[in-house]
Amino acid sequence: MGSLPHVVEDCLGFLQLFSDGSIFRSNDIEFKISAVQDHSVTFNDYLFHKRFNLSLRFYKPQSVTLNTNKLPIVIFLHGGGFCFGSRTWPHIHNCCTRLASGLQAVVLSPDYRLAPEHRLPSAVDDAVEAVRWLQRQGLRLKEDENGGDSWLGSDVDFDRVFVVGDSSGGNIAHHLAVRLGSGSSEMDPVRVRGYVLFAPFFGGEVRTKSEEGPPEHMLNLELLDRFWRLSMPLGESRDHPLANPFGARSPNLEEVKLGPILVIVGGNELLKDRAQDYARRLKEQGKDIEYLEFEGCEHGFFTHDSYSSQLAEEVIQILKRFMLQTST
């Protein structure tokens, strides 16, 4: 008589992988914060990937600052170690609302398939599909001003799109930058002007100093490793190209034309050294990349506190400058 399946991976009790390959996922999560009621921003949900039943949330400022320009578009890719997260989670919703109001931009927040039910590159493929959905809206409006969704309207600027990714979302943003390149017409009329990576979730077999340092309040090395084991293609290591942009099998980024990139990281993050090394290497290759470090901050400092700290307002101003610089 065979033994009963036992837990081989346990993520905080909310996600468990069993020895027979079965998975338990709990949606009964008690969040410490609630969704902010910001009446200056409205939002709608759209199904963008029918095959996998994936939706995105589209945020739009109610009253636009007086100017003659159309609203830029921000695509926000949430974090969660590729294993957790949804556009509906309070801190993700609040972050997108804050981005919409603070940047005077429309914000598109897509869900993507989660691991280990759907291992990488599923999340990256879904992010590409979200950009294609946006492209379809732009093409319909281009052909006929009444052809697209009336709520999206003709006041949206498909020529000024920015991708913002947090943690695993930052990893996805990097792979989008590589796939789409700079100046590519593949997604016309959508033109991605720049990428913002908040503490991108990169990995590698060789430990960095910050990874071996003291754990963060909500993140430790054991959990980081577990996320990789659950999200990587079976049998692959943390040096796989999806985890390590500079691994032995990763594409030579020197040959890839990338759009402008801004990397933002907290000084106390386990992922700090990898983000810093990423920016340094791309800078040495002549890429348009900037690295900013916020002293004393831990992982998710902007996403989790987008409405409750002066630091969040500072980040908004930095994003504004980046968007302005890369729009010309």
Side-chain angles (χ1 to χ4, degrees):
M1 187 173 177
S3 60
L4 293 174
H6 59 277
V7 176
V8 294
E9 297 284 0
D10 189 338
C11 276
L12 309 173
F14 296 111
L15 177 62
Q16 295 175 326
L17 175 64
F18 289 84
S19 55
D20 64 352
S22 60
I23 295 163
F24 165 78
R25 180 184 291 276
S26 172
N27 293 317
D28 187 20
I29 300 176
E30 186 176 337
F31 296 98
K32 295 182 180 179
I33 62 172
S34 301
V36 171
Q37 300 299 316
D38 186 336
H39 298 293
S40 70
V41 175
T42 57
F43 64 90
N44 280 338
D45 288 328
Y46 294 87
L47 180 69
F48 76 92
H49 202 321
K50 187 177 294 185
R51 179 183 174 190
F52 298 117
N53 194 33
L54 292 172
S55 294
L56 56 82
R57 185 161 286 182
F58 207 96
Y59 300 79
K60 192 174 183 180
Q62 284 272 54
S63 57
V64 181
T65 302
L66 291 177
N67 57 50
T68 57
N69 296 324
K70 294 182 178 181
L71 293 169
I73 301 171
V74 172
I75 300 175
F76 180 80
L77 303 168
H78 69 74
F82 299 110
C83 296
F84 293 102
S86 165
R87 73 192 190 285
T88 64
W89 282 20
H91 68 282
I92 295 171
H93 174 83
N94 293 348
C95 179
C96 291
T97 303
R98 183 71 180 92
L99 289 172
S101 63
L103 300 177
Q104 285 293 285
V106 294
V107 176
L108 182 158
S109 176
D111 283 337
Y112 50 83
R113 284 171 289 167
L114 300 175
E117 297 94 326
H118 306 280
R119 292 175 178 265
L120 289 169
S122 294
V124 179
D125 293 340
D126 296 341
V128 173
E129 188 59 33
V131 180
R132 289 198 178 113
W133 176 88
L134 185 63
Q135 179 189 35
R136 292 194 293 272
Q137 308 311 308
L139 288 172
R140 288 170 186 159
L141 285 168
K142 190 174 181 180
E143 294 170 0
D144 179 1
E145 284 195 5
N146 298 315
D149 189 293
S150 59
W151 190 80
L152 299 182
S154 57
D155 55 348
V156 174
D157 192 348
F158 293 88
D159 190 58
R160 286 192 299 148
V161 178
F162 302 87
V163 176
V164 178
D166 175 44
S167 190
S168 54
N171 176 302
I172 297 171
H174 159 76
H175 289 291
L176 274 182
V178 173
R179 283 201 191 186
L180 300 181
S182 178
S184 170
S185 60
E186 178 188 351
M187 292 293 183
D188 280 350
V190 170
R191 181 180 177 187
V192 180
R193 297 287 191 146
Y195 300 81
V196 180
L197 281 56
F198 282 99
F201 185 32
F202 295 137
E205 288 300 302
V206 177
R207 299 296 190 193
T208 68
K209 184 177 179 181
S210 62
E211 285 175 343
E212 294 180 331
E216 300 180 50
H217 178 64
M218 296 181 61
L219 198 62
N220 57 52
L221 189 56
E222 181 183 0
L223 186 56
L224 287 178
D225 286 352
R226 182 170 291 114
F227 283 147
W228 284 125
R229 290 194 299 270
L230 289 169
S231 62
M232 293 304 302
L234 290 173
E236 295 289 352
S237 76
R238 296 189 302 271
D239 279 332
H240 187 280
L242 288 164
N244 187 351
F246 301 102
R249 293 159 49 202
S250 298
N252 183 359
L253 296 179
E254 196 165 5
E255 301 173 356
V256 179
K257 190 176 181 182
L258 298 174
I261 298 173
L262 171 63
V263 178
I264 299 176
V265 68
N268 290 352
E269 296 205 43
L270 294 174
L271 296 172
K272 182 186 75 172
D273 288 352
R274 293 202 183 274
Q276 188 175 41
D277 181 67
Y278 170 81
R280 178 185 60 79
R281 291 199 190 199
L282 289 186
K283 179 67 86 173
E284 290 173 352
Q285 293 179 1
K287 309 301 183 188
D288 183 357
I289 187 164
E290 184 180 357
Y291 173 84
L292 290 177
E293 186 176 309
F294 282 81
E295 185 178 356
C297 291
E298 294 191 344
H299 197 62
F301 70 91
F302 174 71
T303 306
H304 287 272
D305 298 315
S306 53
Y307 267 93
S308 58
S309 72
Q310 182 60 38
L311 192 60
E313 178 57 30
E314 186 177 344
V315 172
I316 289 290
Q317 295 307 316
I318 289 170
L319 297 182
K320 277 185 178 179
R321 289 195 294 272
F322 177 75
M323 293 169 65
L324 183 62
Q325 292 167 2
T326 54
S327 291
T328 56

